[in-house]
Amino acid sequence: MNDDFSRTGAAPVPVLRLGDILLVTLQGDLHDGTAEQLQQDIVEAIARSRVTGVVIDISGVEIVDSFLGRVLAEIGANARLLAAQTVVAGMRPAVAITMVELGLTLPGLRTALSTEAALELLGRPDAAAPRAPRQEPR
Amino acid sequence: MRSEAVPEHEAAASYGTPTDEVGAFLSRRREQIAQRWADEPLFRTVFTVSRDEAVEACRSVVDALAQVADSGRVEDSDSAGFTVVREQLARMTAARSRSGMSTAQVSGEVDALRAPVVNLLVADLPDAPPEHLRECATTLTVLMGTLRLVVMETALTEVQALIDRQQMQLLEVATPVIRLWDGVVAVPLIGTLDSARSQVVMETLLQAVVDQQARYAILDITGVPTVDSLVAQHLMKTVAAVRLMGAECVVSGIRPAIAQTIVHLGLDLGTVVTRAGLADALAYALHGLGADIVHATPGGAGQR
Amino acid sequence: MSGTAAGVEARLPIGSDLDLVWVRQHVRQAAAALGFGLVEQTKLVTAASELARNTLVYGGGGEVETVRVSDGRTQGLRLTFTDHGPGIADLEQALSDGYTSGDGLGMGLGGARRLVHEFAIDSTPGAGTTVTVTSWVARPPRQREES
């Protein structure tokens, strides 16, 4: 396993590499700047390491507004251009209901119940993979 | 009956407007009014611990009325003066309804407070010109009528709150989530779906998806008599929310009449997976999970 | 807007994306304290996030005032976002989905409106914009305590 923390600048969200998959775990309340930095980090990491999948675990995220929704959609679109699939995992029910009400249905993104399910979806039945280290955003 | 001496000069001479006069009278005779009201059924039967307790409650109501009169808005049930006694009045009416009184009977009890206080007013202004006295009595009567209205409003609010609570409880019991298989949950809906119920269904189903880590969620609407555009919209929202969470939602049991309504309303359920019955929906989900149902062959091993 | 105000909770500045985080956290705490369910909390916080970002990005910064309100039956939270920015010339258009004058998915105003129970907007081109939203606790209030 290859721990590849891409932490350019002030990005407090670690991007972890598991073989040919990038794993990102979002926690708590993200600043707009942090989210934009993350988007840039992920795109750079995909281009550099030629991974085939990106899993974004948002089970620790309490709200997704149109800004974070746009960031997720753009990560998905950028990843696709670089031949990688993006799966958003672990969205909470209250967040899902709110996003639907807001009109954000993320049509271009795949979704999964958990990180394990996302890895399975990406063709890596490697459910025993360790989870990304939890880190509080600054 | 206790009585207090009132200085002569206060009850005589110059006369203010009727509302001023009534306000001054209520403040001046606060104690006597409270003492008389404390013996009326409305207060006597609610404040049973001690008479002092009833008298204290009466004082607050008299104070509130005096404040309303001073503000000059005796006919306004939203008057700020009532705010402080609203809660007390609500408790009193709630206590009366618990002991089996109808709203009309409580209203009658509030009305019974009027005569003692009007009599006291008349007795308090013996030297006033008849015209002025009549105006003051009318003003006080209007004020007491407003109090009655406030009591009725609070009573209705209490009833409404009770209905709300019961409706909420009904919503919760009417939405069971069934685990059909490992990774498959279903909600069989029975009865009319309104907006509030659809909301509860959505939340319940989504929570079940998380709790059971279910990859398939089935909404069975066999028992739903009609689907209008609002309900259809809720179904689509539920399907979209389930997808965002990483599971798939299947709607089953769309009866022919409902199918026709959906087509007639021009609703597009294009993105929604539908199946005729709950069994078909389960078969679809099992297939998706990689577990197909086959008939057991004679002599062969039974398969799920 | 219905209901009567029961007291100003707080007044928070909106001047940076750090302030957006504060606004979200404050609104969540206030809504939770009033007894909002998790879904209603999430909707209100998300609406607050959209509106605060509008205030920041299009209004050039401003403030939000949060007020507890009551309509006699239930309690609610009212949020008023004020800026002194350029204002909105065509409110109708600004409220329609897909419209945006900055970056974003264009869900800001229209989306926020769908997440709250009451929504009012007042804007004067050249003078600024005020958006007021209110949501009510859906769950019936708890039994009143005897005082």
Side-chain angles (χ1 to χ4, degrees):
Chain A
M1 207 182 80
N2 177 16
D3 278 16
D4 177 14
F5 286 94
S6 170
R7 302 191 54 193
T8 55
V13 181
V15 178
L16 180 73
R17 186 173 160 197
L18 287 173
D20 50 6
I21 285 170
L22 289 181
L23 183 55
V24 182
T25 304
L26 301 187
Q27 281 275 301
D29 202 329
L30 261 70
H31 293 201
D32 291 2
T34 310
E36 279 177 331
Q37 182 64 49
L38 174 70
Q39 181 179 347
Q40 204 178 322
D41 289 352
I42 291 179
V43 174
E44 281 170 11
I46 297 171
R48 191 171 57 242
S49 55
R50 301 186 187 283
V51 293
T52 57
V54 180
V55 174
I56 306 173
D57 184 336
I58 61 164
S59 59
V61 172
E62 291 182 336
I63 75 155
V64 175
D65 59 10
S66 60
F67 184 85
L68 187 53
R70 179 186 63 113
V71 167
L72 292 174
E74 287 185 4
I75 290 173
N78 287 330
R80 207 162 29 248
L81 287 176
L82 295 165
Q85 283 206 57
T86 306
V87 183
V88 171
M91 186 183 292
R92 297 181 181 190
V95 173
I97 292 172
T98 303
M99 285 183 73
V100 169
E101 212 64 61
L102 201 53
L104 288 169
T105 51
L106 305 180
L109 284 171
R110 301 183 78 177
T111 53
L113 287 167
S114 61
T115 297
E116 290 79 3
L119 292 175
E120 205 180 312
L121 196 63
L122 290 172
R124 273 186 52 123
D126 185 4
R131 299 183 70 96
R134 303 252 151 171
Q135 187 173 341
E136 291 297 322
R138 255 168 255 161
Chain B
M1 179 103 306
R2 293 196 306 192
S3 76
E4 282 170 13
V6 171
E8 281 300 317
H9 60 91
E10 269 192 46
S14 63
Y15 299 106
T17 65
T19 50
D20 288 346
E21 193 80 68
V22 167
F25 157 75
L26 289 168
S27 306
R28 193 166 63 230
R29 295 293 186 187
R30 173 179 191 254
E31 200 52 40
Q32 279 131 305
I33 299 168
Q35 291 293 343
R36 289 200 189 177
W37 281 357
D39 296 323
E40 292 292 331
L42 183 64
F43 287 98
R44 183 167 43 81
T45 54
V46 172
F47 299 95
T48 50
V49 179
S50 70
R51 189 164 186 285
D52 285 349
E53 191 196 15
V55 172
E56 189 51 46
C58 295
R59 285 193 197 108
S60 339
V61 176
V62 178
D63 290 345
L65 290 174
Q67 199 191 329
V68 173
D70 288 342
S71 73
R73 294 158 61 200
V74 290
E75 69 297 311
D76 182 6
S77 64
D78 286 330
S79 186
F82 287 120
T83 312
V84 285
V85 286
R86 246 174 225 282
E87 197 139 327
Q88 181 191 321
L89 295 173
R91 279 207 308 277
M92 288 166 60
T93 52
R96 293 310 274 149
S97 0
R98 268 200 301 277
S99 59
M101 303 274 289
S102 71
T103 310
Q105 284 171 310
V106 176
S107 172
E109 287 192 352
V110 180
D111 195 42
L113 302 178
R114 181 168 47 91
V117 69
V118 172
N119 290 342
L120 208 54
L121 174 78
V122 173
D124 207 42
L125 299 169
D127 305 324
E131 182 58 28
H132 181 68
L133 189 57
R134 201 161 44 241
E135 278 180 17
C136 290
T138 307
T139 302
L140 184 56
T141 305
V142 170
L143 181 58
M144 292 305 291
T146 309
L147 174 68
R148 197 168 157 191
L149 185 63
V150 171
V151 171
M152 289 305 101
E153 274 176 6
T154 26
L156 289 177
T157 309
E158 291 292 304
V159 171
Q160 189 60 50
L162 180 70
I163 294 174
D164 286 351
R165 263 197 303 280
Q166 289 176 339
Q167 234 165 19
M168 220 61 188
Q169 286 162 357
L170 195 64
L171 284 177
E172 278 156 19
V173 295
T175 314
V177 179
I178 301 163
R179 180 175 165 274
L180 287 180
W181 206 265
D182 201 17
V184 185
V185 292
V187 176
L189 294 173
I190 292 164
T192 312
L193 276 178
D194 58 17
S195 200
R197 180 137 181 252
S198 305
Q199 197 69 33
V200 173
V201 168
M202 193 198 287
E203 289 179 27
T204 313
L205 188 66
L206 263 54
Q207 193 55 51
V209 165
V210 175
D211 294 344
Q212 316 251 351
Q213 287 290 297
R215 274 177 52 196
Y216 289 90
I218 301 171
L219 265 178
D220 184 75
I221 61 169
T222 309
V224 176
T226 55
V227 168
D228 60 13
S229 57
L230 204 67
V231 170
Q233 215 176 14
H234 270 289
L235 290 177
M236 314 245 298
K237 282 182 185 171
T238 307
V239 171
V242 168
R243 195 199 77 84
L244 278 175
M245 289 178 57
E248 191 178 341
C249 190
V250 185
V251 179
S252 70
I254 300 182
R255 292 183 292 112
I258 290 183
Q260 279 175 7
T261 313
I262 289 174
V263 173
H264 186 71
L265 288 170
L267 302 170
D268 182 16
L269 293 181
T271 56
V272 179
V273 177
T274 56
R275 285 294 179 269
L278 185 54
D280 306 302
L282 178 60
Y284 171 84
L286 288 176
H287 181 74
L289 289 170
D292 279 304
I293 297 177
V294 296
H295 287 283
T297 47
Q303 262 184 298
R304 273 178 169 177
Chain C
M1 290 275 158
S2 60
T4 50
V8 175
E9 272 260 318
R11 206 185 295 266
L12 302 170
I14 301 171
S16 68
D17 70 344
L18 180 64
D19 290 339
L20 299 188
V21 177
W22 285 122
V23 170
R24 287 195 290 260
Q25 285 177 356
H26 173 77
V27 171
R28 179 173 294 277
Q29 276 166 14
L34 279 177
F36 275 80
L38 185 57
V39 172
E40 291 303 320
Q41 271 181 45
T42 306
K43 284 184 181 175
L44 186 58
V45 173
T46 307
S49 186
E50 300 292 334
L51 295 172
R53 186 173 289 104
N54 276 350
T55 300
L56 179 66
V57 176
Y58 307 129
E63 63 166 24
V64 58
E65 183 186 274
T66 64
V67 179
R68 275 178 289 124
V69 288
S70 169
D71 69 350
R73 283 178 55 189
T74 181
Q75 289 197 298
L77 200 60
R78 175 168 301 160
L79 313 174
T80 306
F81 297 84
T82 313
D83 69 55
H84 300 288
I88 302 167
D90 188 344
L91 283 178
E92 191 96 3
Q93 189 191 26
L95 282 165
S96 65
D97 272 345
Y99 174 78
T100 175
S101 59
D103 55 3
L105 286 174
M107 300 288 174
L109 280 180
R113 180 158 70 168
R114 285 194 297 274
L115 293 176
V116 295
H117 296 136
E118 293 170 32
F119 182 100
I121 183 164
D122 184 27
S123 189
T124 311
T129 303
T130 300
V131 181
T132 306
V133 297
T134 311
S135 277
W136 301 95
V137 179
R139 204 169 48 193
R142 285 182 212 93
Q143 210 73 24
R144 289 211 180 91
E145 278 154 27
E146 305 285 325
S147 55

